[in-house]
């Protein structure tokens, strides 16, 4: 006999949904900012490319909807759109963000993901997972031998975790009880 | 009494008639009737007094009594000052932009005939792909693999072209490659990007002598970038894992702060390398000391070793400079020599140094 351990209260597994405009425009704005900010203000924000706003949006939609299928599709679409902005093969970010969308949705069923501390931790964790998935596909399928540079990745993960606290707080305004 | 009045009347009559110099020390100042001098001498001191008194009163009122007016005037001056400061900042920004655009224009006019100026409007937004988006597309004549430059040097190349925008692959991307040569030693190599956005000069053998600070220019051999454009300077040299040196470059262009760029829509690659293409034997001779170049084409700058020594660039002590790229003379037939100068950046062991200038 086996029993799944659920670490959430009834209230914490509240499922949220988003209206169509928010579903469409939030990822779009994230992609737009991700593309524009590094070159905005005479390139003074070029450090911004360590952040991954589309990843944060994927995580946010995943944990809010708590539906692994919806999370996977959201991650896939956002990732493919992000791939389209680069010159790399379509699917590198798509696969990585599909993993993240699925993982975030699945995790949100089991643990509390509403407080800033847990949001920071899950973002850091999923950033690393996202990076690993990206590198695996990059090395395994595309055969691009890019070095991992883990120290930089960990720093970027922490930075994204901090940014996630702010971004998730803003995106909470668009949530509707399901 | 009557006598006095008569005398006064006559004096007055004389004063009306007689002219006196305005200033006896300066006769060139002219003369004026005496009556005018007297009246002036009488009236003007009083006027001065009146004016001075009035000024003093007005100043006193302004300084000590009319505080409300002072405050209002002060506020107006502050507002005006702020407006002027904003205006000054705006004009400074416009002047900076004008200077940059002027530099682009000068560069375009002096170096390359056909370019399209473009504004950087976006990026890939990720470190995994160093892509920029510019506001010019296929409608402006852009095509893939066109060189993207600034007056300071090479930026990258056009990767994808859309109707109104285009993707630019920056040369510090991992998948980028630029044919390059070292300015003094004339050694050829390939400039590549790294995952962290650095620039490396690859394919330079470990036994070659490369000095920090040496400039690296485009070789033109990749058929994308015009020859002689600055890429960067040698920052650090270390032996690599294989037969080649690991040469870190400092780019001449700040690749993270690009605003306006030029897309070379018509490079003059027909200059040297199309007419006198670099042969594999020449490159091999450069790489491997001991292999001599063949003298197949005498017009190719006496490519073979003249004294039996290896045709390595280091045997020519005189540095070969790059000729500026100029448009070919269209009226001249293609199979005849034209007035178009042939760039001489290709390897040469000619003892006489070419006299040509650097790219502007």
């Amino acid at each position: 006999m086996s029993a799944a351990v659920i670490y959430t209260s009834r209230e914490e597994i509240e499922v949220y949904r988003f209206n169509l405009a928010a579903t469409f425009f939030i990822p779009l704005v994230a992609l737009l900012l991700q593309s524009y900010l590094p070159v905005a203000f005479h390139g003074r924000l070029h450090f911004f490319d360590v952040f991954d706003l589309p990843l944060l949006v994927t995580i946010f939609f995943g944990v809010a909807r708590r539906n692994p299928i919806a999370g996977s599709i959201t991650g896939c679409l956002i990732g493919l759109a992000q791939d389209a902005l680069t010159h790399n093969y379509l699917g590198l970010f798509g696969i990585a963000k599909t993993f993240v969308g699925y993982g975030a949705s699945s995790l949100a069923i089991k643990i509390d993901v509403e407080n800033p501390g847990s949001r920071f931790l899950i973002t850091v964790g999923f950033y690393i997972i996202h990076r690993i998935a990206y590198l695996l596909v990059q090395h395994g399928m595309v055969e691009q031998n890019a070095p991992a540079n883990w120290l930089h990745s960990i720093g970027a993960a922490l930075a994204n975790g901090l940014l996630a606290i702010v971004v998730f707080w803003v995106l909470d305004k668009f949530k509707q009880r399901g | 009494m009557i006598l006095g009045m008569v005398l006064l009347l006559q004096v007055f009559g004389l004063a009306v008639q007689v002219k006196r110099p305005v200033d006896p020390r300066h006769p060139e100042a002219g003369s004026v009737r005496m009556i005018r001098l007297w009246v002036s001498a009488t009236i003007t001191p009083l006027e001065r007094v009146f004016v001075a008194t009035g000024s003093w009163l007005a100043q006193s009122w302004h300084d000590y009594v009319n505080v409300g007016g002072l405050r209002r005037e002060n506020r107006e001056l502050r507002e005006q000052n702020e407006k002027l400061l904003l205006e000054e900042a705006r004009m400074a920004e416009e002047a900076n932009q004008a200077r940059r655009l002027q530099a682009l224009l000068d560069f375009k006019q002096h170096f390359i005939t056909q370019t399209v100026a473009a504004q950087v409007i976006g990026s890939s937004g990720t470190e995994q792909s160093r892509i920029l988006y510019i506001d010019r597309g296929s409608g402006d004549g852009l095509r893939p693999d066109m060189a993207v430059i600034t007056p300071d040097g090479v930026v990258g190349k056009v990767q994808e072209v859309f109707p109104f925008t285009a993707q630019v692959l920056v040369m510090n991307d991992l998948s980028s490659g630029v044919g390059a040569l070292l300015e003094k030693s004339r050694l050829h190599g390939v400039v590549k990007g790294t995952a962290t956005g650095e620039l490396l000069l690859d394919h330079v053998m470990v036994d070659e002598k490369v000095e920090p600070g040496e400039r690296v220019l485009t070789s033109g051999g990749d058929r994308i970038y015009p020859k002689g454009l600055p890429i960067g300077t040698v920052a650090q040299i270390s032996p690599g894992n294989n037969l080649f040196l690991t040469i870190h470059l400092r780019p001449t262009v700040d690749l993270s702060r690009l605003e306006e760029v030029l897309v070379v829509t018509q490079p003059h690659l027909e200059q040297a390398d199309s007419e006198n293409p670099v042969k594999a034997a020449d490159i091999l001779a450069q790489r491997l000391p001991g292999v001599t170049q063949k003298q197949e084409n005498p017009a190719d700058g006496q490519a073979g070793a003249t004294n039996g020594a290896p045709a390595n660039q280091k045997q020519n002590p005189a540095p070969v400079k790059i000729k500026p790229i100029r448009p070919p003379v269209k009226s001249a037939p293609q199979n005849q020599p034209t007035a178009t100068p042939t760039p001489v950046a290709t390897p040469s062991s000619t003892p006489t140094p070419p006299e040509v200038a650097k790219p502007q």
Side-chain angles (χ1 to χ4, degrees), chain A residues 34-35 42 85-87 131 152, chain B residues 123 125 127 129 133 175 259:
Chain A
Q34 189 72 34
S35 172
H42 306 226
L85 285 172
T86 72
H87 71 296
R131 185 83 183 114
H152 176 76
Chain B
S123 71
E127 295 174 320
S129 172
Y133 282 83
S175 63
E259 291 180 64

Side-chain angles (χ1 to χ4, degrees), chain A residues 96-170:
Chain A
K97 284 192 166 56
T98 303
F99 272 120
V100 170
Y102 178 84
S105 303
S106 304
L107 189 70
I109 298 170
K110 298 185 182 301
I111 64 168
D112 173 27
V113 288
E114 298 294 324
N115 71 70
S118 63
R119 285 177 165 182
F120 172 78
L121 290 175
I122 62 166
T123 304
V124 171
F126 278 119
Y127 186 93
I128 301 293
I129 290 169
H130 177 268
R131 185 83 183 114
I132 291 170
Y134 187 94
L135 283 172
L136 284 175
V137 178
Q138 194 178 29
H139 283 263
M141 288 184 68
V142 186
E143 295 182 347
Q144 286 181 344
N145 293 318
N149 198 0
W150 287 113
L151 198 63
H152 176 76
S153 295
I154 290 169
L158 295 171
N160 277 276
L162 291 172
L163 183 64
I165 297 170
V166 180
V167 171
F168 287 11
W169 177 78
V170 173

Side-chain angles (χ1 to χ4, degrees), chain A residues 34-36 38-39 42-43 46 49-50 84-88 93 131 134 146-147 149 152, chain B residues 93 121-129 131 133 167 169 173-175 195-196 256-257 259:
Chain A
Q34 189 72 34
S35 172
Y36 174 67
V39 297
H42 306 226
H46 67 274
D49 54 14
V50 302
L85 285 172
T86 72
H87 71 296
N88 291 328
F93 278 119
R131 185 83 183 114
Y134 187 94
N149 198 0
H152 176 76
Chain B
E93 183 60 29
I121 56 171
S123 71
S124 68
T126 171
E127 295 174 320
Q128 278 78 48
S129 172
I131 285 281
Y133 282 83
Q167 268 188 353
L169 180 67
D173 185 86
L174 193 61
S175 63
T196 53
S256 61
R257 293 190 175 183
E259 291 180 64

Side-chain angles (χ1 to χ4, degrees), chain B residues 320-340:
Chain B
V320 182
K321 294 179 180 177
I322 313 291
K323 281 192 174 184
I325 299 168
R326 293 179 194 162
V329 178
K330 290 182 179 177
S331 58
Q334 287 186 350
N335 57 353
Q336 290 181 4
T338 66
T340 307

Side-chain angles (χ1 to χ4, degrees), chain B residues 108-142:
Chain B
K108 178 179 171 179
Q109 285 173 344
H110 288 101
F111 205 79
I112 291 163
T113 52
Q114 282 203 11
T115 57
V116 171
Q119 186 88 26
V120 176
I121 56 171
S123 71
S124 68
T126 171
E127 295 174 320
Q128 278 78 48
S129 172
R130 298 187 189 278
I131 285 281
L132 294 175
Y133 282 83
I134 55 176
D135 64 345
R136 302 286 181 165
S138 58
D140 302 292
L142 268 62

